[in-house]
Amino acid sequence: MTIWIDADACPVPVREMVLRASQRTSTALVFVANSPLPIARRDLVKTVQVSQGFDVADNYICKHAAINDLVITQDIPLAAELVEKGICALNPRGELYTQANIRQRLAMRNLSEELRSIGQISGGPNKFGDKEKQNFANALDRWLQKSQKKLNQ
Protein backbone atom coordinates (compact mmCIF):
# COMPACT_ATOMS: atom_id res chain seq x y z
CA MET A 1 0.00 0.00 0.00
CA THR A 2 1.48 3.30 -1.17
CA ILE A 3 0.24 6.87 -1.38
CA TRP A 4 1.30 8.60 -4.59
CA ILE A 5 1.20 12.38 -4.94
CA ASP A 6 1.05 14.15 -8.28
CA ALA A 7 3.15 16.82 -6.63
CA ASP A 8 3.71 19.58 -9.20
CA ALA A 9 0.42 21.34 -8.43
CA CYS A 10 -0.35 19.82 -5.04
CA PRO A 11 -0.97 22.45 -2.34
CA VAL A 12 1.74 22.55 0.32
CA PRO A 13 -0.73 21.97 3.22
CA VAL A 14 -1.84 18.73 1.52
CA ARG A 15 1.76 17.58 1.14
CA GLU A 16 2.36 18.28 4.83
CA MET A 17 -0.79 16.42 5.92
CA VAL A 18 0.12 13.39 3.85
CA LEU A 19 3.68 13.39 5.18
CA ARG A 20 2.38 13.37 8.76
CA ALA A 21 -0.18 10.66 7.97
CA SER A 22 2.49 8.55 6.28
CA GLN A 23 4.72 8.68 9.33
CA ARG A 24 1.82 8.09 11.74
CA THR A 25 0.53 5.03 9.86
CA SER A 26 3.84 3.72 8.44
CA THR A 27 2.50 4.07 4.91
CA ALA A 28 4.87 4.40 1.97
CA LEU A 29 4.64 7.75 0.21
CA VAL A 30 5.93 8.75 -3.23
CA PHE A 31 6.00 12.32 -4.53
CA VAL A 32 6.25 12.54 -8.33
CA ALA A 33 7.10 15.88 -9.96
CA ASN A 34 8.82 17.50 -12.93
CA SER A 35 10.96 19.67 -10.67
CA PRO A 36 12.88 19.14 -7.42
CA LEU A 37 10.74 19.14 -4.28
CA PRO A 38 11.86 20.57 -0.94
CA ILE A 39 10.93 17.44 1.03
CA ALA A 40 13.05 16.39 3.99
CA ARG A 41 14.34 12.83 3.89
CA ARG A 42 12.18 10.51 5.98
CA ASP A 43 11.60 6.79 6.28
CA LEU A 44 9.02 5.47 3.81
CA VAL A 45 9.08 8.72 1.78
CA LYS A 46 10.47 8.84 -1.73
CA THR A 47 10.61 11.62 -4.30
CA VAL A 48 10.75 10.92 -8.02
CA GLN A 49 11.74 13.69 -10.39
CA VAL A 50 10.61 12.90 -13.92
CA SER A 51 11.68 14.77 -17.03
CA GLN A 52 9.84 17.86 -18.22
CA GLY A 53 7.01 17.25 -20.60
CA PHE A 54 3.28 16.91 -20.97
CA ASP A 55 1.86 14.14 -18.74
CA VAL A 56 5.28 12.67 -17.88
CA ALA A 57 4.51 12.62 -14.13
CA ASP A 58 0.98 11.33 -14.79
CA ASN A 59 2.30 8.52 -16.97
CA TYR A 60 4.85 7.54 -14.31
CA ILE A 61 2.17 7.39 -11.62
CA CYS A 62 -0.22 5.46 -13.83
CA LYS A 63 2.48 2.93 -14.67
CA HIS A 64 3.61 2.36 -11.06
CA ALA A 65 0.48 2.73 -8.89
CA ALA A 66 -1.26 -0.49 -7.87
CA ILE A 67 -4.73 -1.57 -6.80
CA ASN A 68 -4.35 -0.97 -3.03
CA ASP A 69 -2.65 2.41 -3.52
CA LEU A 70 -4.05 5.91 -3.27
CA VAL A 71 -3.15 8.66 -5.74
CA ILE A 72 -3.63 12.29 -4.79
CA THR A 73 -4.11 14.40 -7.90
CA GLN A 74 -5.97 17.39 -9.28
CA ASP A 75 -5.56 15.99 -12.78
CA ILE A 76 -8.95 14.61 -13.81
CA PRO A 77 -7.75 12.69 -16.90
CA LEU A 78 -5.16 10.96 -14.68
CA ALA A 79 -7.84 10.22 -12.09
CA ALA A 80 -10.08 8.77 -14.82
CA GLU A 81 -7.28 6.44 -15.95
CA LEU A 82 -6.63 5.33 -12.39
CA VAL A 83 -10.29 4.73 -11.56
CA GLU A 84 -10.58 2.67 -14.75
CA LYS A 85 -7.71 0.50 -13.43
CA GLY A 86 -9.38 0.15 -10.01
CA ILE A 87 -6.96 2.48 -8.21
CA CYS A 88 -8.26 5.03 -5.70
CA ALA A 89 -7.78 8.69 -6.65
CA LEU A 90 -8.43 11.61 -4.30
CA ASN A 91 -8.19 15.30 -5.09
CA PRO A 92 -6.59 17.81 -2.69
CA ARG A 93 -10.05 19.15 -1.81
CA GLY A 94 -11.10 15.78 -0.41
CA GLU A 95 -13.20 14.43 -3.28
CA LEU A 96 -12.71 10.75 -3.99
CA TYR A 97 -13.00 10.00 -7.68
CA THR A 98 -15.16 6.94 -8.35
CA GLN A 99 -16.75 5.06 -11.24
CA ALA A 100 -19.95 6.92 -10.35
CA ASN A 101 -18.54 10.46 -10.65
CA ILE A 102 -15.44 10.40 -12.87
CA ARG A 103 -17.21 10.66 -16.23
CA GLN A 104 -19.12 13.75 -15.08
CA ARG A 105 -15.92 15.34 -13.68
CA LEU A 106 -14.12 14.64 -16.94
CA ALA A 107 -16.95 16.12 -19.02
CA MET A 108 -17.04 19.26 -16.83
CA ARG A 109 -13.27 19.61 -17.07
CA ASN A 110 -13.38 19.33 -20.86
CA LEU A 111 -16.20 21.87 -21.10
CA SER A 112 -14.39 24.32 -18.84
CA GLU A 113 -11.20 23.92 -20.85
CA GLU A 114 -13.09 24.62 -24.06
CA LEU A 115 -14.83 27.67 -22.60
CA ARG A 116 -11.48 29.04 -21.34
CA SER A 117 -9.91 28.54 -24.77
CA ILE A 118 -12.57 30.73 -26.41
CA GLY A 119 -12.46 33.34 -23.65
CA GLN A 120 -15.86 32.60 -22.13
CA ILE A 121 -14.48 31.94 -18.65
CA SER A 122 -11.22 32.78 -16.95
CA GLY A 123 -9.48 31.92 -13.74
CA GLY A 124 -8.94 28.68 -11.97
CA PRO A 125 -10.37 26.84 -9.00
CA ASN A 126 -11.66 28.54 -5.88
CA LYS A 127 -9.28 29.43 -3.07
CA PHE A 128 -7.79 26.53 -1.12
CA GLY A 129 -8.81 27.37 2.44
CA ASP A 130 -9.50 25.81 5.81
CA LYS A 131 -12.67 24.06 4.64
CA GLU A 132 -10.81 22.36 1.79
CA LYS A 133 -7.96 21.36 4.10
CA GLN A 134 -10.44 19.81 6.54
CA ASN A 135 -12.29 17.98 3.76
CA PHE A 136 -9.02 16.54 2.51
CA ALA A 137 -7.84 15.52 5.98
CA ASN A 138 -11.15 13.74 6.64
CA ALA A 139 -11.08 11.92 3.28
CA LEU A 140 -7.46 10.85 3.77
CA ASP A 141 -8.21 9.54 7.27
CA ARG A 142 -11.22 7.58 5.98
CA TRP A 143 -9.09 6.00 3.25
CA LEU A 144 -6.27 5.16 5.67
CA GLN A 145 -8.69 3.57 8.17
CA LYS A 146 -10.38 1.53 5.46
CA SER A 147 -7.01 0.41 4.07
CA GLN A 148 -5.70 -0.55 7.51
CA LYS A 149 -8.82 -2.69 8.09
CA LYS A 150 -8.20 -4.48 4.77
CA LEU A 151 -4.61 -5.22 5.76
CA ASN A 152 -5.64 -6.57 9.15
CA GLN A 153 -8.20 -9.02 7.73
Side-chain angles (χ1 to χ4, degrees):
M1 178 174 80
T2 300
I3 299 174
W4 296 83
I5 298 184
D6 184 5
D8 285 316
C10 186
V12 172
V14 168
R15 289 186 203 169
E16 292 169 352
M17 280 186 259
V18 178
L19 275 165
R20 286 191 302 272
S22 166
Q23 297 301 293
R24 184 180 76 242
T25 62
S26 298
T27 303
L29 176 58
V30 181
F31 291 89
V32 181
N34 296 107
S35 55
L37 294 170
I39 307 241
R41 292 178 93 27
R42 297 181 185 185
D43 290 340
L44 299 172
V45 177
K46 178 179 172 185
T47 58
V48 175
Q49 184 178 344
V50 296
S51 61
Q52 295 291 324
F54 188 69
D55 287 342
V56 176
D58 298 352
N59 293 337
Y60 183 92
I61 292 169
C62 213
K63 180 179 178 183
H64 292 90
I67 293 292
N68 291 322
D69 294 349
L70 173 67
V71 176
I72 298 166
T73 185
Q74 296 183 75
D75 188 295
I76 297 172
L78 171 59
E81 249 186 281
L82 294 165
V83 167
E84 193 69 31
K85 293 171 84 173
I87 299 168
C88 288
L90 177 67
N91 77 19
R93 294 174 181 270
E95 180 183 11
L96 188 64
Y97 296 111
T98 65
Q99 288 287 346
N101 69 17
I102 194 63
R103 291 192 197 291
Q104 178 188 14
R105 298 294 177 266
L106 195 52
M108 289 301 298
R109 176 245 183 219
N110 292 342
L111 176 62
S112 294
E113 190 172 273
E114 189 172 318
L115 291 173
R116 269 193 297 280
S117 74
I118 61 172
Q120 292 295 315
I121 60 172
S122 61
N126 295 334
K127 181 183 176 223
F128 188 80
D130 291 338
K131 179 181 175 188
E132 290 76 18
K133 290 176 197 174
Q134 188 63 54
N135 288 344
F136 176 79
N138 291 340
L140 178 62
D141 282 342
R142 281 191 301 274
W143 184 85
L144 286 166
Q145 288 173 5
K146 185 177 173 182
S147 295
Q148 292 296 324
K149 283 181 186 176
K150 279 184 191 177
L151 289 176
N152 294 331
Q153 290 179 348

